[in-house]
Amino acid sequence: MAKGLIIAATQSGSGKTLLTTALLGALKERGMKVASAKTGPDYIDGQVHGLATGQSAINLDPWAMSQSRQRSLLSQQAGGQDLVLVEGVMGLFDGSASGKGSTADLAKNLQLPVVLVVDCGSMAQSIAALVYGFQNLRTDIDVAGVILNRVASDKHEKMLKSALAKLDIEVLGALRRNAELDIPSRHLGLTLPEDFAKSRTVAALAISEVKKRLDLDGLLQLAKPILATQSGPKLAPLGQKIAIASDAAFAFLYPHLLADWQAQGAQLHFFSPLADEAPADDADAVFLPGGYPELHGALLANAQHFKQGMHQAAERNALIYGECGGYMVLGESLTDKSGNSFEMTGLLPLQTAINRPRRQLGYRRLSHKSILPWPSDLLGHEFHYSTELKREGDALFRASDAEANAVGQMGLHRNRILGSYAHIIDVRE
């Protein structure tokens, strides 16, 4: 039976994504079969894990998914594996504005122990009070171990471990501060691995450091069996043959949705708009997921074969659905942050621009009466810096936030062409 652990942190920016990736790589080099998951709606961190595992992580979202859904997805991910590492989100107890959806909530739901990553860069003996608080704030989770990150020296490490000796917790080791162990960020999170030339070099160095400085045997001893759970309800496929845009401009895909669709008999066909590929000419649905179209405006504007294929799909009455970046590409134009405007597909009366000074961010409760083959009540997430300069026509969703405060209408639908800024995660039960 596969075992699992949750890798959490005291706060965002503590280094848990690279550390989780390095742990996966080090254990894989031991001959173990390993897989991973990411807490919450983040697309990017799970792709970083793929540098070690060769596959993206699944998303486990304690705000947007039922407990049974979380457990069934983890159980599926654990199939044929020895260990699944679940990376947390933000700090251990940080969740949505409503207070729900934290890594601690996921640890409780999955009944898995937590290993806490602490950025020790500006800390000495006070680490004991910090870790004690994280251990004892909630009695329904088990903070079983700690990893010290960004430690300055042997002397610093000795001070930290001496302070923690007062607590009943496994100290699994200390990683040194190292400027080479860094994956740069951009406006939606870490840089995607394929967009960061040194990503594999950084991952290899991190794996080497983990093997040298962490107690991997001790880590494995903390892991607990993953509970076998049968699969629950699934989101219906958009069609029977779905053409899905997939490249650097359309990289934000939830693996559990694709698995849902395949489990229900749908055929998935991937194509690259950046390579000027059109959707399959016999596809009865086309999905443009989110990503970074604003970084590739000129390529998309000149992708005539792609655009023609999208219009042909509309003419044959295929269902066309776009999320966030994909929604923007369904519009008439996209203006990047430098003010350059690029012509998009023109399938929706929409014009967008990357001009928002602060990101639009948060969970969304969504309701609709559209032809989407999903229940009327859905849960999703919104995360973007763009605004709608023009949006004419019927809205796709009525939306409220994590605290059930109305945030108005979202998106557009015209005939069988639909889209919005929301990334759909699951059904609202």
Side-chain angles (χ1 to χ4, degrees):
M1 182 181 295
K3 293 186 176 181
L5 275 173
I6 291 179
I7 309 298
T10 55
Q11 61 191 37
S12 293
S14 297
K16 59 184 179 296
T17 299
L18 186 56
L19 176 56
T20 301
T21 303
L23 287 169
L24 290 164
L27 294 170
K28 187 175 180 180
E29 288 185 7
R30 282 191 168 197
M32 294 185 67
K33 297 176 181 178
V34 294
S36 65
K38 170 66 183 180
T39 309
D42 185 283
Y43 292 93
I44 300 173
D45 292 356
Q47 295 188 42
V48 177
H49 298 176
L51 293 170
T53 64
Q55 60 180 340
S56 293
I58 60 168
N59 291 80
L60 299 174
D61 198 311
W63 186 89
M65 295 175 179
S66 67
Q67 185 179 74
S68 62
R69 177 73 144 163
Q70 296 163 47
R71 289 183 174 181
S72 67
L73 286 174
L74 181 62
S75 181
Q76 293 169 36
Q77 185 77 336
Q81 306 295 330
D82 298 315
L83 182 75
V84 179
L85 294 183
V86 181
E87 183 194 343
V89 61
M90 300 184 291
L92 176 59
F93 303 111
D94 299 326
S96 69
S98 65
K100 296 177 60 179
S102 68
T103 305
D105 291 339
L106 186 69
K108 176 189 174 184
N109 294 343
L110 301 180
Q111 299 179 34
L112 290 179
V114 173
V115 171
L116 189 69
V117 180
V118 182
D119 181 350
C120 303
S122 302
M123 188 179 304
Q125 288 87 349
S126 293
I127 192 173
L130 178 71
V131 172
Y132 179 84
F134 273 81
Q135 266 192 303
N136 292 281
L137 182 65
R138 284 180 58 165
T139 60
D140 56 352
I141 62 170
D142 176 21
V143 180
V146 62
I147 294 174
L148 312 178
N149 198 21
R150 298 171 183 152
V151 176
S153 63
D154 289 344
K155 181 179 179 181
H156 188 201
E157 178 180 343
K158 184 177 179 180
M159 293 167 63
L160 295 165
K161 287 183 174 179
S162 176
L164 290 169
K166 306 177 181 69
L167 307 183
D168 181 21
I169 194 166
E170 290 289 329
V171 180
L172 296 168
L175 296 171
R176 290 292 183 268
R177 182 187 301 151
N178 187 340
E180 295 182 10
L181 291 175
D182 182 48
I183 297 177
S185 297
R186 61 185 173 199
H187 63 270
L188 296 182
L190 295 178
T191 303
L192 287 164
E194 61 264 32
D195 294 336
F196 175 44
K198 292 174 58 180
S199 60
R200 295 196 178 279
T201 301
V202 171
L205 177 59
I207 291 169
S208 176
E209 288 295 295
V210 158
K211 289 165 64 177
K212 181 168 58 177
R213 298 187 180 278
L214 297 190
D215 179 5
L216 295 178
D217 290 326
L219 180 89
L220 293 172
Q221 288 174 7
L222 296 179
K224 294 289 179 65
I226 291 170
L227 303 175
T229 308
Q230 292 186 343
S231 179
K234 297 177 173 63
L235 275 170
L238 296 172
Q240 284 306 113
K241 186 171 184 177
I242 311 171
I244 302 173
S246 179
D247 56 29
F250 302 92
F252 295 169
L253 282 162
Y254 285 128
H256 71 273
L257 294 186
L258 303 186
D260 280 0
W261 298 346
Q262 288 180 307
Q264 296 171 82
Q267 301 176 47
L268 308 184
H269 295 262
F270 298 91
F271 69 101
S272 171
L274 291 182
D276 201 13
E277 295 174 354
D281 57 14
D282 58 347
D284 60 354
V286 181
F287 177 33
L288 301 186
Y292 294 104
E294 69 274 16
L295 301 181
H296 308 277
L299 270 177
L300 291 170
N302 293 318
Q304 297 303 320
H305 188 225
F306 160 63
K307 290 181 178 179
Q308 182 181 16
M310 292 296 294
H311 280 270
Q312 289 173 345
E315 289 167 5
R316 68 173 180 268
N317 214 29
L319 188 153
I320 299 175
Y321 172 63
E323 290 188 342
C324 201
Y327 169 57
M328 295 160 67
V329 173
L330 290 178
E332 298 166 356
S333 67
L334 189 164
T335 302
D336 67 18
K337 64 180 181 180
S338 298
N340 303 306
S341 185
F342 301 99
E343 183 183 86
M344 295 291 106
T345 63
L347 291 171
L348 287 175
L350 171 73
Q351 296 175 2
T352 57
I354 308 295
N355 61 359
R356 187 182 293 275
R358 298 179 62 185
R359 62 191 176 185
Q360 182 80 1
L361 169 69
Y363 283 113
R364 297 291 180 257
R365 304 169 188 266
L366 304 161
S367 60
H368 73 105
K369 296 180 180 179
S370 75
I371 60 170
L372 283 173
W374 300 333
S376 59
D377 294 315
L378 302 164
L379 296 172
H381 190 262
E382 185 178 5
F383 192 164
H384 58 93
Y385 280 85
S386 65
T387 58
E388 297 162 321
L389 303 178
K390 167 187 172 182
R391 177 168 66 92
E392 297 177 353
D394 297 326
L396 176 57
F397 295 122
R398 293 194 65 84
S400 58
D401 64 15
E403 298 175 288
N405 299 309
V407 295
Q409 297 182 330
M410 288 182 65
L412 284 168
H413 71 93
R414 183 171 68 177
N415 300 322
R416 290 175 61 80
I417 304 168
L418 315 93
S420 82
Y421 276 122
H423 302 272
I424 301 304
I425 300 173
D426 215 343
V427 177
R428 183 166 55 175
E429 294 185 350

